[in-house]
Amino acid sequence: MTGTANGGEIRFSGLAVSPGFAHGVLRVLERGEAPVPVHAIGPEQVAHEAQRFERAIERTKAELLRIKDGVARNLGEGDANIFEAHLLLLEDATIVAATLKQLETKRLNIEAVYSHVIGRYVDVLGALEDPYLRERAADVRDVARRVLQNLAGAEGGLGVSITEPCILVAHDLAPSDTAQLPTDKVLGFVTCIGSMTSHTAIMARALAIPAIVGIEAPLHDIKALEQSVAVLDGYTGQLVINPTEATLAASGAAESRHAHVAQDLVRLRDTRATTTDGRAIVLSANLGRMEDLPDVAECGAEGVGLFRTEFLFADRDDFPSEEEQCQMYCRVADAVKPHHVILRTLDLGGDKLLPGTHVSTETNPFLGMRAIRFCLAHPEILRTQLRAMLRAAAHAGGHVKIMYPMVSRVQEVRQANAILAEERARLEAGGLQIPAIEVGCMIEVPSAALTAETLATEVKFFSIGTNDLIQYTIAIDRGNEELAHLYDPTHPGILRLIEHVINAAHQAGIWVGLCGEMAGEFTIAPLLVGMGIDELSTGPAQVPRIKRAIQCVSHAEMKVIADSLLNLHSGEEIRGRLDALARERVPELFD
Ligand code: PEP
Ligand code: MG
């Protein structure tokens, strides 16, 4: 037994991936994979096997579309996108071509060759270092399981009927299984493997089923405890089997506390981040991976204030083509309508390596060939990306904005804008109609902050990247744990730079946002509002809290508070005052 026992109760801990509490009996889902039949075929059977494959793919496609439509109806288009990815995997040209080729060369039945091809994909994905890409192996397996079931003539499904309320435990759950769980019966679920970024975890959050993954106990350990009563805590990742009275009382109290705050925050989803005296701040979300796109609408953000496009280039040996990029940008723009998406041009360099590169050769990469510097030194890469962005803007209308990262001198903006204008002209000469696009730059280097007046003549907006602005201003590596206590967003030097940038922007008649992690601190956001920020962009998980914090202050009072705090000389003191204010206005957020 891997769990820890105490007074009759047995505890397992894993990753809390979907918040909430569940209290009920354990039901273990043991689903043995059906053995794949393997037999030789004659040359005359090849065409027949290929047809069986085609029919199985068609049936699987129909099944996945059914699940996707169901999810879209019940949860919305965003969550249904997971099955869009499954549909793409199902018809993946490389997998299909490799299977048909092996059918010819190996002369084995279609189940055997298809499983072989899938097995190789799963092995390659499973061996990757990136946990996110490793999780995609589960998606490939899920799709393949359905195809194999259809080849065997059976409909895909969960394989057991769940008729009584329970906490479901499985070795793993495929996203399509999770989507089909009877939510009135499954109070919560636990899997032995999995991570935060698995689609199963994303589905669990979307379905609001409390869930823990990766408890790292073999399923048969839990099987021995089936039908025992258990409590699942989706906040801390604890599964307690045979809970004592004291555990039950403690989890009951925690549950009502969380429920209260959560209900309150969910109610904010369709509201705006408006202060009590009516100043509305645009509160948008940062996005790094296409898979997180559904979270943007779900958290109640107004579009995407920072799309870190370089993550689309990570873990690849090549740069995505213009077409590939264009499709992704269009998908984001379509998903966030009527709000906007700010597409940031590549911010490679620093700790973000170039495709196909494993280490940087620079002595000091954060002060090296990074972001706009890299792009201007490799104009073809920038041109391709800008063309993809312009085409996405043509597709989506005025909802696409473009932003340059790590600008340190005005010439960089001018050069990039000139390239943008050339690419626009070329596309327009080819007949494409491109709307006016707002182009902005990030302010994340002290020289940019201090010359904001000049930069403001070249762009339509600024977005302050405090993650880098803090590191470059206080001279602290943003990733150095030992110096983390000195990495202080409320350092008076940082606040004065931000104030300068906001004033310069407004004097030039342009808007200014802030998209560093600082935007996600609910104690600090009201100060930024008082300083005059127009937009904040932060991780989707932080959006509801920030909205709440902004809705509980007035712009007029925060302006007065900001003026007085900016006269203080100690970051600790500024933070202390902001904490005290937040404790008074939004005490529930401190829980
Ligand atoms: C920043 O520096 O604040 C920022 C948002 O950019 P990144 O974190 O991607 O460097
Ligand atoms: Mg940055």
Side-chain angles (χ1 to χ4, degrees):
M1 181 76 51
T2 325
T4 52
N6 173 19
E9 62 180 31
I10 303 165
R11 286 177 180 260
F12 292 92
S13 42
L15 257 184
V17 292
S18 180
F21 287 87
H23 179 197
V25 292
L26 286 182
R27 173 83 199 269
V28 175
L29 177 63
E30 278 182 303
R31 198 185 30 208
E33 294 287 324
V36 175
V38 181
H39 56 82
I41 56 165
E44 72 291 351
Q45 288 170 291
V46 168
H48 173 68
E49 289 295 281
Q51 266 175 16
R52 287 183 59 227
F53 186 43
E54 202 179 307
R55 279 199 299 271
I57 294 220
E58 280 310 314
R59 273 200 295 272
T60 309
K61 188 170 171 184
E63 245 170 64
L64 287 173
L65 281 170
R66 250 196 335 267
I67 298 175
K68 178 174 170 259
D69 289 348
V71 171
R73 256 194 324 277
N74 298 326
L75 297 170
E77 289 295 334
D79 294 310
N81 280 342
I82 290 175
F83 298 100
E84 195 59 52
H86 280 202
L87 284 162
L88 289 176
L89 277 176
L90 174 69
E91 295 182 303
D92 183 282
T94 331
I95 295 180
V96 171
T99 305
L100 293 176
K101 185 155 180 243
Q102 290 205 8
L103 188 62
E104 285 279 354
T105 53
K106 292 207 158 140
R107 292 285 159 81
L108 290 173
N109 59 319
I110 190 71
E111 290 89 340
V113 289
Y114 180 61
S115 311
H116 180 74
V117 170
I118 291 294
R120 287 192 40 199
Y121 261 77
V122 167
D123 287 349
V124 170
L125 285 170
L128 293 176
E129 265 186 22
D130 182 327
Y132 176 75
L133 289 175
R134 262 205 322 267
E135 284 296 340
R136 302 292 69 80
D139 295 335
V140 177
R141 266 199 305 268
D142 185 15
V143 171
R145 180 174 56 83
R146 284 183 180 276
V147 174
L148 288 168
Q149 273 170 340
N150 277 314
L151 279 166
E155 279 268 310
L158 206 52
V160 291
S161 63
I162 298 170
T163 49
E164 297 298 323
C166 65
I167 294 176
L168 193 67
V169 189
H171 176 68
D172 191 13
L173 275 180
S176 61
D177 289 336
T178 314
Q180 289 175 299
L181 289 179
T183 46
D184 55 333
K185 300 284 182 326
V186 177
L187 309 170
F189 75 78
V190 179
T191 61
C192 301
I193 62 170
S195 77
M196 202 69 180
T197 52
S198 64
H199 276 147
T200 300
I202 297 170
M203 282 311 304
R205 287 194 286 278
L207 290 162
I209 302 180
I212 305 175
V213 302
I215 56 165
E216 287 184 355
L219 194 62
H220 58 76
D221 275 9
I222 315 240
K223 180 72 185 165
L225 299 162
E226 190 163 22
Q227 295 301 335
S228 306
V229 171
V231 182
L232 179 162
D233 181 343
Y235 292 95
T236 61
Q238 292 281 318
L239 176 71
V240 186
I241 301 177
N242 300 328
T244 61
E245 283 302 318
T247 300
L248 283 176
S251 83
E255 182 173 6
S256 48
R257 224 171 39 240
H258 280 292
H260 192 70
V261 176
Q263 260 175 17
D264 232 35
L265 292 178
V266 167
R267 274 206 295 271
L268 303 185
R269 189 167 127 160
D270 298 323
T271 66
R272 295 201 68 197
T274 306
T275 58
T276 54
D277 53 352
R279 179 168 160 80
I281 306 300
V282 176
L283 181 55
S284 40
N286 292 348
L287 179 71
R289 299 173 323 174
M290 297 302 289
E291 284 68 22
D292 295 336
L293 186 53
D295 299 347
V296 176
E298 196 181 305
C299 72
E302 293 178 270
V304 171
L306 166 65
F307 185 12
R308 292 181 161 103
T309 61
E310 60 277 4
F311 288 123
L312 304 176
F313 292 60
D315 294 303
R316 297 181 55 125
D317 287 333
D318 56 350
F319 286 95
S321 67
E322 178 182 326
E323 185 54 37
E324 257 179 289
Q325 290 186 53
C326 177
Q327 280 181 18
M328 288 189 269
Y329 304 153
C330 287
R331 255 181 71 195
V332 180
D334 285 341
V336 301
K337 269 181 188 168
H339 304 299
H340 65 227
V341 51
I342 301 183
L343 299 172
R344 179 172 78 177
T345 58
L346 276 180
D347 183 11
L348 286 172
D351 57 350
K352 300 177 215 167
L353 297 173
L354 314 186
T357 331
H358 302 291
V359 280
S360 170
T361 50
E362 292 176 299
T363 320
N364 205 339
F366 272 108
L367 301 182
M369 189 54 94
R370 195 187 152 188
I372 193 71
R373 295 174 190 167
F374 168 83
C375 283
L376 291 174
H378 298 85
E380 275 322 306
I381 294 173
L382 179 62
R383 280 181 192 279
T384 305
Q385 186 170 37
L386 291 176
R387 270 198 308 274
M389 290 178 174
L390 287 164
R391 286 175 51 199
H395 163 89
H399 305 286
V400 170
K401 302 180 199 287
I402 295 177
M403 171 161 84
Y404 309 127
M406 217 190 125
V407 163
S408 59
R409 50 212 301 267
V410 70
Q411 289 85 346
E412 290 165 338
V413 178
R414 290 190 186 133
Q415 256 179 289
N417 275 345
I419 293 176
L420 181 66
E422 280 169 27
E423 292 308 325
R424 171 188 274 271
R426 277 177 49 186
L427 288 169
E428 284 176 341
L432 195 68
Q433 291 196 341
I434 307 169
I437 298 173
E438 283 195 6
V439 177
C441 72
M442 292 198 67
I443 304 287
E444 40 189 353
V445 178
S447 64
L450 293 167
T451 56
E453 300 78 359
T454 318
L455 291 170
T457 60
E458 306 293 332
V459 293
K460 290 278 185 275
F461 67 92
F462 289 148
S463 187
I464 307 177
T466 45
N467 302 340
D468 279 311
L469 187 63
I470 297 169
Q471 96 162 336
Y472 293 132
T473 304
I474 317 184
I476 289 184
D477 175 353
R478 60 193 262 189
N480 187 333
E481 304 254 327
E482 279 178 47
L483 295 176
H485 62 290
L486 297 175
Y487 184 92
D488 178 13
T490 55
H491 186 300
I494 301 297
L495 295 180
R496 281 174 210 170
L497 283 179
I498 294 175
E499 182 190 34
H500 180 82
V501 174
I502 294 174
N503 291 342
H506 288 169
Q507 267 160 28
I510 66 171
W511 63 268
V512 53
L514 191 149
C515 62
E517 294 305 302
M518 183 178 181
E521 292 204 37
F522 68 84
T523 53
I524 302 182
L527 170 69
L528 296 168
V529 171
M531 290 167 72
I533 206 82
D534 300 299
E535 184 233 32
L536 291 172
S537 189
T538 185
Q542 277 82 266
V543 165
R545 283 162 193 269
I546 297 301
K547 203 181 267 186
R548 174 75 167 175
I550 293 174
Q551 288 176 345
C552 292
V553 293
S554 86
H555 177 241
E557 70 168 333
M558 285 318 301
K559 197 168 173 334
V560 173
I561 292 174
D563 285 345
S564 80
L565 292 189
L566 261 91
N567 282 324
L568 297 178
H569 301 289
S570 139
E572 286 77 22
E573 195 177 346
I574 297 172
R575 191 178 270 280
R577 301 253 189 118
L578 291 172
D579 273 7
L581 179 73
R583 278 188 192 281
E584 178 201 313
R585 300 296 165 85
V586 282
E588 70 279 12
L589 300 186
F590 282 88
D591 196 357

